[in-house]
Amino acid sequence: LDAAHSCVQLTEQGGGGGGGILALPGAMLNITGATLTGNAAADAMGGGVFACGATLSVSSASISSSQAAVGGGLALVNTTATFNNASFSLCTSDSAGGALYVESSAVGLVSSSVWRCESAGRAGGVMVQGPSARVSLSGTSIAQCRAGRSGGAAVVRGGGRLELLAGSSLVSNGAEESCGGACVDGAGSEVALMAGSLADSNSVFSPDGSAGTFAASNGAVIRVIEAQIMGSAAAEGGAIRDFRGARGDLRSCRLALCVATRIGAGIACNGAALSLANVTMQALTSQGDGGGIHALGCSVEMAQINASSCSSSSGSGGAFFCGAATTAAISGSWFDGNSATTSGGAIRVENASSLHVTSTDFTGNSASSGGGALSASASNVAMSGCQARWNTAGLAGGAVSLADGAN
């Protein structure tokens, strides 16, 4: 189908689209200094605007209180769009994209805001769908958005990419099941929190929910580069959850004050890969294992990590829990003042896992049971060029405890 025919089909099959404005292939639409409010496209796309195969420019304009099945504020398909000083507020969708639905389109938002938008399904703020879908935020915030299922701020699928550049933020967004911030799923899909951007106080509401800020699955990638994630909360993965072949790449960033009611207040990793370099982990608290990072069946590389005051209030591995045949390497790092109620004040290694630690300092870590700095069972641990000072354990191994065939 050609672009025009495809767009006509989308509007006809959906019972119409673009409650306020409809732009079809070849259209060049400029919206400047305007207010679009109270528009609706019931059972269709784009409550305020639906653009398909068009070019769109929005400047100093607001879209508010609009509703659609998909893309409560705007729906963009095969469209190039720029937003400058634009605002989305109180927009809702039945399925995906409370504020904005982006499919196979290139979209840039500069000095703009998305506020208190909701989706009954996925992506309370922005839905990014398809291999050529790209959304870039610069000096733009997504705040207080909600999703009935996943992705309070955003969902990225099918090879799409969402990047937050300097001055951009995800703040106080939430979802019922997973990803208070953004879910990213599928090979080629990526979410990137880049230099000078921030994710703060995003959360998941369900007591069984996961990924307070970000979740990646099925080959997707999460990048956090020179940015911060703070104050996020979930049952598993207070800040980040990586699983099913996903990859997390964190560099020169900070994870702080995140909480997990079960495991992994900083990161919960299951069957995925993690690479961390020059990362600060501070005051990350889980009730279960792995106050900072919880890894099962993962490949983990950490260099120049500064983990302090992380804790497992009723489990093991205050800063790092390594289990289920996880392979991990730590170099040039510092573990200071971390704690666990059971074993491994800083690190716990178990269940056929392997850990290689080089040139790393362990200072003032504590465990109620064994291994103030490190505890291992039924696993392989190698340490070289490390220092352990003022670590304490209630029962055995103030610094290191090895049991059940660990070596």
Side-chain angles (χ1 to χ4, degrees):
L1 296 175
D2 61 29
H5 189 47
S6 298
C7 291
V8 169
Q9 278 195 323
L10 283 172
T11 58
E12 289 179 347
Q13 290 171 357
I21 299 173
L22 173 63
L24 290 176
M28 298 184 66
L29 176 62
N30 296 312
I31 301 174
T32 302
T35 297
L36 299 177
T37 186
N39 298 289
D43 301 321
M45 303 178 74
V49 177
F50 176 38
C52 188
T55 300
L56 174 64
S57 175
V58 179
S59 180
S60 301
S62 67
I63 297 96
S64 65
S65 303
S66 296
Q67 183 276 332
V70 174
L74 277 85
L76 308 175
V77 178
N78 296 321
T79 290
T80 299
T82 59
F83 298 84
N84 197 322
N85 192 30
S87 67
F88 298 82
S89 61
L90 303 172
C91 296
T92 61
S93 74
D94 300 330
S95 176
L100 187 60
Y101 175 87
V102 176
E103 181 177 331
S104 303
S105 300
V107 178
L109 291 93
V110 178
S111 302
S112 297
S113 65
V114 178
W115 179 71
R116 290 189 67 182
C117 294
E118 297 186 5
S119 171
R122 297 183 176 91
V126 181
M127 180 79 181
V128 186
Q129 175 74 44
S132 58
R134 299 290 183 268
V135 175
S136 176
L137 310 182
S138 179
T140 294
S141 66
I142 303 178
Q144 297 183 45
C145 293
R146 299 287 184 267
R149 292 183 59 189
S150 58
V155 169
V156 183
R157 301 176 66 188
R161 188 174 196 270
L162 171 66
E163 63 176 1
L164 286 84
L165 304 177
S168 295
S169 60
L170 305 179
V171 178
S172 299
N173 302 287
E176 186 63 32
E177 297 177 3
S178 62
C179 321
C183 290
V184 53
D185 178 69
S189 300
E190 181 176 321
V191 62
L193 194 67
M194 303 301 287
S197 60
L198 168 70
D200 188 8
S201 302
N202 300 287
S203 60
V204 174
F205 308 131
S206 168
D208 299 319
S210 63
T213 297
F214 295 136
S217 58
N218 299 315
V221 176
I222 294 170
R223 299 189 195 281
V224 183
I225 312 295
E226 298 180 25
Q228 297 188 69
I229 300 178
M230 302 174 60
S232 297
E236 299 184 359
I240 295 171
R241 187 182 183 207
D242 248 5
F243 61 109
R244 293 201 299 263
R247 181 161 57 91
D249 180 13
L250 287 75
R251 288 180 278 144
S252 302
C253 64
R254 178 172 177 251
L255 306 180
L257 302 170
C258 298
V259 175
T261 56
R262 292 182 182 172
I263 58 173
I267 303 172
C269 177
N270 193 330
L274 292 176
S275 176
L276 291 80
N278 192 26
V279 174
T280 296
M281 302 193 304
Q282 184 178 18
L284 305 172
T285 304
S286 70
Q287 292 184 19
D289 296 328
I293 297 174
H294 184 277
L296 298 178
C298 295
S299 172
V300 182
E301 295 184 1
M302 295 192 283
Q304 294 181 294
I305 305 303
N306 189 337
S308 63
S309 303
C310 297
S311 64
S312 168
S313 62
S314 59
S316 301
F320 181 33
F321 179 90
C322 179
T326 288
T327 300
I330 301 172
S331 63
S333 297
W334 302 265
F335 292 83
D336 183 13
N338 304 287
S339 62
T341 300
T342 54
S343 57
I347 298 174
R348 169 66 177 175
V349 188
E350 64 177 53
N351 195 11
S353 296
S354 64
L355 173 67
H356 188 199
V357 187
T358 59
S359 304
T360 292
D361 288 355
F362 296 87
T363 306
N365 303 286
S366 63
S368 298
S369 181
L374 184 149
S375 169
S377 65
S379 296
N380 295 317
V381 176
M383 303 179 73
S384 63
C386 297
Q387 295 188 35
R389 296 169 291 183
W390 307 307
N391 302 284
T392 60
L395 295 179
V400 177
S401 173
L402 302 178
D404 298 328
N407 59 73

